[in-house]
Amino acid sequence: MASSAATRTAAGAAKVVKPIFSRDLDEAKRRVRELYRAWYREVPNTVAMFQLDITTQQGRDKVREMFNKNKHVTDPRVVDMLVIKGKMELQETIHVWKQKTHIMRYFHESEEPRPADFLSKFYRGHEP
Amino acid sequence: MASRALHQCVRSLGRPSLWLLPTNLAVRVPPVFAAAALRPLSFTAASRKTRWLGQSYISSGVLCRQYSDLPPLTLDTIKDRVMYVLKLYDKINPERLQTSSHFMKDLGLDSLDQVEIIMAMEDEFGFEIPDAEAEKLMTPSEIVNYIADKKDVYE
């Protein structure tokens, strides 16, 4: 069974998969850039439409942050799927199907940051 | 006779005060006035945008409106505007910026920063730059050449 798993992974490394939208990483990156352009141009309209209490620059920084979170991805299919999800979010934002709270959820305003070091985790304790 | 009237129109366009003064209109023959009035309308109906509808005093002292085109683009003006926009961008150090500085290698910018820069150029010059060509523009001089290419500014 271990040998069959090894052969499966060896075969999977050279497998050709059906692409979602783009054939190679360059085309996928082009889609990412188009999505970034659309979001960049949409931010001032969003801030005005939802009457958010942030500046346009803060909104654009948040867009940049969300894009940078997935900077490390190399698989074109994963990139395509992320672009599709980004386009869905953009559509919901443009058509005002979302509400102010959904947009502000990106900013994690009322969430406490999770503890990272040992002592903070110790003080917080294990959740039952 | 019609050609002579048209010649008079063409010469009189250089002196717009002549047909703007109401007294002259009564003196002029109506078809001549009609031809003279049609010429400026065809200029404004051309495909270019009219942006500056300034009023100014021309040499004869009469206040007249000049429906004009945008000032013509030259390579120097394009370069000045591109460098001005780039200096305003906060992620670029203005001292280190030159026309040949590469965005990614010299200035240390991201690909998304380059997208933002191209969008700023689109907003400045008023025409769309498609992404397939925009991803190749990596230095200010390339941007200037691309804009001059698209706007037919002769080298």
Side-chain angles (χ1 to χ4, degrees):
Chain A
M1 191 164 124
S3 61
S4 65
T7 49
R8 244 186 293 128
T9 48
K15 200 165 59 173
V16 174
V17 291
K18 189 174 97 171
I20 298 183
F21 277 143
S22 35
R23 295 165 195 279
D24 52 357
L25 194 56
D26 287 330
E27 221 177 303
K29 285 190 173 170
R30 196 171 297 158
R31 284 179 209 278
V32 172
R33 279 193 288 263
E34 291 286 345
L35 182 67
Y36 183 72
R37 276 195 193 206
W39 267 112
Y40 188 89
R41 291 242 159 88
E42 182 53 30
V43 165
N45 304 334
T46 303
V47 168
M49 180 75 76
F50 291 89
Q51 294 173 359
L52 303 174
D53 295 320
I54 55 166
T55 62
T56 308
Q57 191 53 45
Q58 279 176 301
R60 285 188 169 146
D61 291 338
K62 178 56 74 173
V63 170
R64 177 65 75 97
E65 188 191 312
M66 304 302 285
F67 271 79
N68 279 339
K69 258 200 230 176
N70 299 318
K71 208 155 89 155
H72 54 87
V73 179
T74 52
D75 190 0
R77 292 167 18 120
V78 178
V79 174
D80 279 342
M81 189 48 83
L82 291 168
V83 163
I84 286 168
K85 291 182 65 127
K87 279 189 186 171
M88 288 200 276
E89 301 276 321
L90 181 65
Q91 186 182 29
E92 288 166 9
T93 309
I94 290 179
H95 290 287
V96 198
W97 296 338
K98 286 194 187 207
Q99 288 165 340
K100 190 175 184 177
T101 170
H102 301 112
I103 309 278
M104 293 313 285
R105 224 165 265 181
Y106 286 110
F107 290 86
H108 304 292
E109 279 177 342
S110 57
E111 286 174 34
E112 281 174 16
R114 293 183 69 170
D117 58 332
F118 174 76
L119 265 184
S120 315
K121 287 191 220 173
F122 182 75
Y123 291 142
R124 186 177 271 211
H126 292 285
E127 293 290 311
Chain B
M1 191 184 104
S3 61
R4 231 186 299 135
L6 274 176
H7 282 308
Q8 273 185 333
C9 292
V10 169
R11 265 183 280 129
S12 74
L13 270 182
R15 298 161 289 161
S17 62
L18 281 177
W19 61 272
L20 274 178
L21 286 175
T23 53
N24 261 350
L25 292 182
V27 168
R28 286 196 172 266
V29 180
V32 172
F33 165 62
L38 278 173
R39 284 291 297 271
L41 281 179
S42 66
F43 285 148
T44 56
S47 57
R48 298 153 175 201
K49 290 184 288 201
T50 53
R51 186 166 81 173
W52 173 58
L53 302 177
Q55 292 193 352
S56 60
Y57 287 97
I58 52 173
S59 54
S60 68
V62 181
L63 187 69
C64 80
R65 246 188 235 175
Q66 295 175 330
Y67 294 98
S68 74
D69 199 356
L70 288 171
L73 286 175
T74 61
L75 275 179
D76 289 329
T77 57
I78 296 176
K79 190 173 89 69
D80 289 336
R81 283 164 79 178
V82 166
M83 299 307 275
Y84 182 66
V85 170
L86 285 175
K87 285 192 176 92
L88 287 177
Y89 190 47
D90 59 348
K91 287 191 191 166
I92 294 184
N93 192 3
E95 285 94 48
R96 295 187 50 193
L97 179 68
Q98 294 161 3
T99 42
S100 60
S101 45
H102 197 268
F103 290 138
M104 302 228 190
K105 295 181 204 157
D106 298 335
L107 300 170
L109 294 176
D110 206 359
S111 60
L112 293 181
D113 292 324
Q114 195 255 347
V115 171
E116 284 189 19
I117 288 171
I118 299 295
M119 277 200 276
M121 296 301 152
E122 283 184 3
D123 292 335
E124 169 72 21
F125 290 97
F127 69 100
E128 283 276 329
I129 303 177
D131 192 56
E133 299 166 28
E135 62 187 1
K136 302 185 191 113
L137 302 173
M138 282 293 168
T139 72
S141 59
E142 279 182 24
I143 297 178
V144 171
N145 291 336
Y146 179 82
I147 294 173
D149 192 31
K150 286 291 162 184
K151 291 282 183 180
D152 293 328
V153 178
Y154 38 87
E155 287 89 57

